[in-house]
Amino acid sequence: SSSSSASSTGCSTAAVATGTANNAPPAKQSAKDYIFGKVIGEGSFSTVYLAKDIHHSKEYAIKVCEKRHIVKELKVEYVKQEKEVLNILNSNQNKTAPFFVKLYSTFQDNERLYFVLSYAKNGELLPYINKVGSFDIQCTRFYGAEILRALEHLHSLGIIHRDLKPENILLDERMHVQITDFGSAKILDDKPRPQPRRRDGEQSSWQRRNSFVGTAQYVSPELLTEKSVSKSSDLWALGCIIYQMVAGLPPFVARSEYLIFQKIIKLEYEFPDGFEPKAKDLVQKLLVLDSTNRLGAKDIGNYTSVRSHHFFAGLDFETLYKQTPPPIY
Ligand code: ADE
């Protein structure tokens, strides 16, 4: 739900430093602690700016949501959910979550909510796929593996992303994956949490469950037919993304969302000639209509059966973040 604009560079607006007494408790940050620069992402409910911390000159991506807009569009729950997921990912017990955007702080003013996130210098994965037409097998393997590792981590925390797509997969300065946009994520409750009292403009979880659809091309068939999602819905999306890295386009394309959905529920897609056979075999094992029969769906803990697919033969999943990603041409 975000797309980047890579136009002008640098930051402009001047900001005034906020003085805090030495003995005062750490003050909540405000927009005045940052110099806002260019827009680096735009969704329907937020704008992401490149921003510089005035104290340390460090760059961040600040996601700004207009309160009036999210209340009017009934997205209050989505924004809360995003913050909760980012907090879980950033909590001390989960200190090694290299494949995710990090949340540094949040604050608000009368009109807006602010999420201070790590800035993924190389932006979205999508333009890289589009620019080169398609990835070679080395690249597809590496990025497929990093996304799989990210899903292992997310799912181990009981979180389903539900909107995984190449626009939500960002690349840091070393070209490693940083997954973002948890506004559609679902936190599975093993221990039921107390239901917060609803305010105006909020939807009940029932309303949310029954109104959500991710991005058409990557939506799993079970969401369309049963309105149900599970961890393996993200594995379906992974299958779509691996297909897209190899073929250049996602597997299910059509003139309208409706026609895309028709194709998805009938598993109507084809492999172009020359599609690498090991990648084809993996995609065929992920793009399975019955979510319980997808490769990995029955794994406990890590996605061992996906890791050990011959497409990934020889790849060391434990040291991915230390490896130098293969160049994209
Ligand atoms: N676009 C949206 N979020 C971003 C981030 N955290 N870094 C870079 N580009 C982005």
Side-chain angles (χ1 to χ4, degrees), residues 77 80 84 193-199 202:
E77 278 306 309
K80 285 187 177 181
E84 194 172 341
R193 290 161 299 152
Q195 289 297 312
R197 203 164 61 82
R198 238 177 298 147
R199 297 190 229 170
E202 289 184 41

Side-chain angles (χ1 to χ4, degrees), residues 4-287:
S4 67
S5 75
S7 50
S8 68
T9 37
C11 304
S12 50
T13 323
V16 188
T18 43
T20 313
N22 282 336
N23 56 356
K28 193 78 180 162
Q29 289 194 316
S30 80
K32 290 196 168 126
D33 292 302
Y34 298 90
I35 299 164
F36 284 78
K38 65 175 178 176
V39 171
I40 53 174
E42 254 169 320
S44 28
F45 307 101
S46 63
T47 305
V48 183
Y49 296 90
L50 174 58
K52 210 170 210 171
D53 176 303
I54 58 163
H55 310 287
H56 311 98
S57 243
K58 204 175 161 272
E59 288 180 311
Y60 294 93
I62 302 188
K63 183 168 182 163
V64 183
C65 306
E66 202 190 317
K67 290 180 184 178
R68 242 190 54 239
H69 187 57
I70 56 176
V71 170
K72 191 175 73 201
E73 301 291 329
L74 308 174
K75 300 298 168 189
V76 173
E77 278 306 309
Y78 292 76
V79 178
K80 285 187 177 181
Q81 189 75 350
E82 171 143 45
K83 181 173 172 179
E84 194 172 341
V85 169
L86 286 164
N87 281 332
I88 294 171
L89 284 170
N90 287 284
S91 75
N92 294 326
Q93 303 102 289
N94 305 315
K95 52 180 173 284
T96 51
F99 300 122
F100 297 93
V101 155
K102 184 172 150 70
L103 179 66
Y104 288 91
S105 76
T106 58
F107 51 84
Q108 55 179 299
D109 55 31
N110 283 336
E111 295 84 34
R112 290 168 288 265
L113 302 171
Y114 299 83
F115 290 78
V116 182
L117 303 164
S118 47
Y119 171 50
K121 255 201 167 64
N122 286 307
E124 298 170 9
L125 178 64
L126 184 67
Y128 287 91
I129 302 175
N130 291 341
K131 207 179 299 165
V132 299
S134 68
F135 282 7
D136 63 23
I137 286 309
Q138 285 298 90
C139 272
T140 306
R141 263 162 58 91
F142 182 83
Y143 287 105
E146 287 212 336
I147 299 163
L148 182 72
R149 282 292 282 129
L151 289 183
E152 286 179 347
H153 186 70
L154 200 61
H155 293 176
S156 76
L157 297 170
I159 301 163
I160 311 172
H161 189 289
R162 295 202 295 186
D163 197 16
L164 193 66
K165 55 179 172 177
E167 292 94 318
N168 289 340
I169 299 166
L170 304 177
L171 298 163
D172 69 11
E173 67 287 350
R174 294 176 51 231
M175 289 299 280
H176 286 275
V177 158
Q178 295 228 295
I179 295 192
T180 191
D181 205 341
F182 296 94
S184 311
K186 182 176 172 65
I187 304 172
L188 300 167
D189 29 19
D190 36 8
K191 0 177 195 357
R193 290 161 299 152
Q195 289 297 312
R197 203 164 61 82
R198 238 177 298 147
R199 297 190 229 170
D200 291 351
E202 289 184 41
Q203 289 181 295
S204 69
S205 56
W206 182 87
Q207 283 171 303
R208 265 190 299 144
R209 264 203 298 281
N210 288 277
S211 57
F212 170 77
V213 170
T215 303
Q217 278 94 334
Y218 308 90
V219 158
S220 60
E222 61 272 19
L223 190 112
L224 299 171
T225 56
E226 298 154 35
K227 298 213 185 313
S228 68
V229 285
S230 63
K231 290 171 183 175
S232 64
S233 308
D234 285 342
L235 292 173
W236 172 278
L238 174 66
C240 293
I241 295 165
I242 291 173
Y243 178 104
Q244 184 169 0
M245 288 193 281
V246 178
L249 286 173
F252 306 98
V253 288
R255 279 182 296 104
S256 70
E257 282 205 340
Y258 175 79
L259 293 171
I260 292 171
F261 296 156
Q262 291 301 304
K263 287 187 164 182
I264 291 170
I265 61 175
K266 287 187 277 184
L267 197 67
E268 195 182 305
Y269 77 105
E270 280 169 13
F271 290 97
D273 290 344
F275 196 104
E276 205 276 331
K278 296 189 199 85
K280 179 174 174 174
D281 189 80
L282 175 59
V283 168
Q284 282 173 326
K285 287 174 171 150
L286 290 169
L287 298 186

Side-chain angles (χ1 to χ4, degrees), residues 279-299:
K280 179 174 174 174
D281 189 80
L282 175 59
V283 168
Q284 282 173 326
K285 287 174 171 150
L286 290 169
L287 298 186
V288 171
L289 288 180
D290 182 346
S291 64
T292 64
N293 286 334
R294 279 171 212 149
L295 193 64
K298 296 185 174 82
D299 291 354

